[in-house]
C-alpha cells in the first residue's frame, strides 16, 4: 500500500512464509440489547430484508423465550441464539473506562445496564487464514444488519475482549460494505483491540486479538508518536498480515520512515517493535 518504507532486509515471498500458528476455527461475538425482546424471531425478518429469504433457515423457539436462528450466508452457517437475560460477567470482560474511540461514557453505561443479548457463532469455518478472514467479513455484515434492530447497544468480541458501540460498529460495517470487493481491506477495528500498558517507566501499545488469526500480538515498546499514529500503524500491520501481504517475525526489520529502522523482537509470545524513533 506504500504506507511504510521497506528496509533493505530481503523480505521473503508469500510462498516462502510459514505461519507459526493456526487461526482459531470458531468465530463468535455477542450483540448486546437494552431490553428483553417479546419476539426475538423478528430478527429473521431483518436478515431476510438484507440478505434475501434464503438466508434464514431453521428458527427454534421450542424453549421460549430463548430463540435460535440459523442464518446461511455464502454457504456459511451462523447460529444466532437470543438470551433474554444480561450477559454473564464471565462471558464479557468489560473494560472499566472508555476504550479509545470505540464507545463513549454514555454508551458504555448503557451496555453495563443491558437486559439481553444475542450470541452469534460460526463453527469451524476458520480452518485456514482465508477461511477465517471470510467468516469474519460475513459475520461483520450479519451483525451490522442485526444492529439495526431497535434496542441494540453494541457488540463484544470475545477473542479480542473488544467492546464496540452500535454507532462505531455500524460505521465500520458500512466501510466494509463499500470495500466488499477489495481483497486488501479487512475491518480490523471490529476484530482487533488496541491496548496500552507500562513496562517500568516505558509506555507499551499493542494489539489484542491477532492470535485468533494465528499471529502473535504486535506491541510498540516505548513509542514516541502520538497514540493515533500508533493505532493506525497497528491496524495497518494487522490488516497486512490478515490479508496475507506480510508476515512479521522475530529479527525482521521495518522502516516506517526512511533511514529509521525498527526491529521485531519476540518476547513472551508477542512481537515487540523496538527503535526507529516511531
Amino acid at each position: 500500500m506504500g504506507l511504510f518504507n521497506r528496509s533493505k532486509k530481503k523480505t521473503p515471498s508469500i510462498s516462502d512464509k510459514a505461519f507459526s500458528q493456526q487461526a482459531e476455527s470458531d468465530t463468535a461475538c455477542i450483540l448486546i440489547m437494552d431490553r428483553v425482546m417479546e419476539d426475538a424471531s423478528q430478527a429473521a425478518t431483518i436478515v431476510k430484508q438484507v440478505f434475501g429469504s434464503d438466508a434464514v433457515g431453521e428458527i427454534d423457539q421450542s424453549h421460549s423465550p430463548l430463540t435460535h436462528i440459523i442464518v446461511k450466508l455464502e454457504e456459511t452457517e451462523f447460529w444466532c441464539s437470543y438470551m433474554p437475560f444480561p450477559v454473564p460477567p464471565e462471558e464479557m470482560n468489560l473494560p472499566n473506562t472508555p476504550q479509545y474511540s470505540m464507545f463513549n461514557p454514555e454508551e458504555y453505561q448503557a451496555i453495563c445496564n443491558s437486559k439481553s443479548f444475542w450470541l452469534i457463532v460460526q463453527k469451524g469455518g476458520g480452518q485456514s487464514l482465508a477461511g477465517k478472514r471470510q467468516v469474519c467479513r460475513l459475520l461483520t455484515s450479519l451483525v451490522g444488519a442485526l444492529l439495526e434492530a431497535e434496542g441494540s447497544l453494541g457488540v463484544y468480541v470475545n477473542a479480542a475482549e473488544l467492546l464496540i458501540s452500535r454507532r462505531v460498529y455500524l460505521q465500520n460495517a458500512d466501510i466494509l460494505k463499500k470495500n466488499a470487493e477489495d481483497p486488501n481491506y479487512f475491518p480490523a477495528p471490529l476484530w482487533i483491540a488496541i491496548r496500552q500498558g507500562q513496562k517500568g517507566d516505558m509506555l507499551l501499545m499493542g494489539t489484542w486479538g491477532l492470535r485468533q488469526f494465528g499471529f502473535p500480538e504486535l506491541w510498540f515498546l516505548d513509542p514516541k508518536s502520538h497514540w493515533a499514529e500508533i493505532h493506525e500503524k497497528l491496524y495497518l500491520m494487522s490488516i497486512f498480515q490478515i490479508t496475507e501481504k506480510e508476515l512479521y517475525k522475530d529479527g525482521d526489520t521495518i522502516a516506517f520512515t526512511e533511514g529509521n529502522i525498527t526491529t521485531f523482537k519476540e518476547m513472551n509470545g508477542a512481537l515487540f517493535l523496538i527503535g526507529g524513533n516511531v
Side-chain angles (χ1 to χ4, degrees):
M1 295 184 183
L3 295 169
F4 301 149
N5 294 323
R6 294 281 188 182
S7 67
K8 292 184 179 180
K9 180 177 178 178
K10 181 181 181 295
T11 301
S13 66
I14 293 294
S15 61
D16 293 333
K17 295 176 178 179
F19 297 99
S20 59
Q21 300 172 241
Q22 292 293 318
E24 294 178 1
S25 60
D26 298 344
T27 309
C29 70
I30 293 170
L31 192 158
I32 307 157
M33 307 288 293
D34 72 357
R35 66 197 65 191
V36 174
M37 303 177 71
E38 293 183 5
D39 182 8
S41 67
Q42 294 173 355
T45 302
I46 296 175
V47 174
K48 290 178 181 179
Q49 289 172 344
V50 176
F51 302 105
S53 58
D54 292 342
V56 176
E58 179 184 352
I59 300 176
D60 181 0
Q61 291 183 294
S62 58
H63 296 86
S64 182
L66 274 66
T67 300
H68 306 285
I69 302 173
I70 295 178
V71 175
K72 192 170 187 179
L73 304 178
E74 299 184 16
E75 306 304 315
T76 302
E77 285 192 349
F78 297 85
W79 285 83
C80 304
S81 300
Y82 179 68
M83 308 295 180
F85 46 81
V87 184
E90 61 270 20
E91 296 296 331
M92 187 167 64
N93 182 21
L94 289 178
N96 293 321
T97 56
Q99 190 172 13
Y100 307 110
S101 59
M102 305 310 287
F103 54 87
N104 61 39
E106 292 75 19
E107 291 167 334
Y108 176 73
Q109 190 59 48
I111 289 171
C112 287
N113 295 321
S114 63
K115 301 296 190 296
S116 66
F117 66 99
W118 286 90
L119 177 61
I120 303 170
V121 180
Q122 202 290 317
K123 299 286 288 184
Q127 299 292 336
S128 66
L129 180 55
K132 183 72 171 183
R133 186 169 61 240
Q134 175 68 354
V135 167
C136 288
R137 289 172 67 108
L138 290 172
L139 194 149
T140 296
S141 298
L142 173 58
V143 171
L146 292 174
L147 278 172
E148 297 290 354
E150 187 176 1
S152 299
L153 292 174
V155 176
Y156 183 76
V157 181
N158 312 60
E161 297 179 7
L162 174 62
L163 180 66
I164 312 164
S165 72
R166 175 183 183 274
R167 168 184 56 86
V168 173
Y169 201 100
L170 288 175
Q171 289 171 353
N172 282 274
D174 186 57
I175 295 172
L176 173 62
K177 184 177 181 180
K178 293 175 180 177
N179 291 274
E181 303 303 319
D182 183 358
N184 296 317
Y185 179 75
F186 183 81
L190 302 183
W191 293 98
I192 305 294
I194 306 297
R195 294 184 169 184
Q196 71 177 44
Q198 292 287 136
K199 183 177 178 61
D201 295 332
M202 292 186 295
L203 174 68
L204 301 174
M205 291 186 65
T207 64
W208 198 255
L210 267 177
R211 64 191 181 281
Q212 66 184 305
F213 297 94
F215 303 107
E217 306 296 351
L218 296 172
W219 285 82
F220 281 94
L221 182 62
D222 197 24
K224 310 300 182 185
S225 303
H226 189 269
W227 69 268
E229 296 178 28
I230 299 298
H231 273 222
E232 181 181 27
K233 287 180 172 64
L234 287 168
Y235 280 139
L236 287 172
M237 294 172 75
S238 297
I239 292 170
F240 290 164
Q241 293 201 106
I242 292 170
T243 58
E244 300 182 70
K245 301 299 181 295
E246 294 287 352
L247 175 61
Y248 306 115
K249 304 185 301 300
D250 182 45
D252 282 353
T253 59
I254 190 169
F256 295 101
T257 57
E258 187 174 356
N260 291 311
I261 303 300
T262 300
T263 302
F264 292 87
K265 178 65 174 177
E266 184 175 357
M267 293 185 285
N268 299 321
L271 282 177
F272 285 81
L273 290 97
I274 302 170
N277 198 35
V278 181

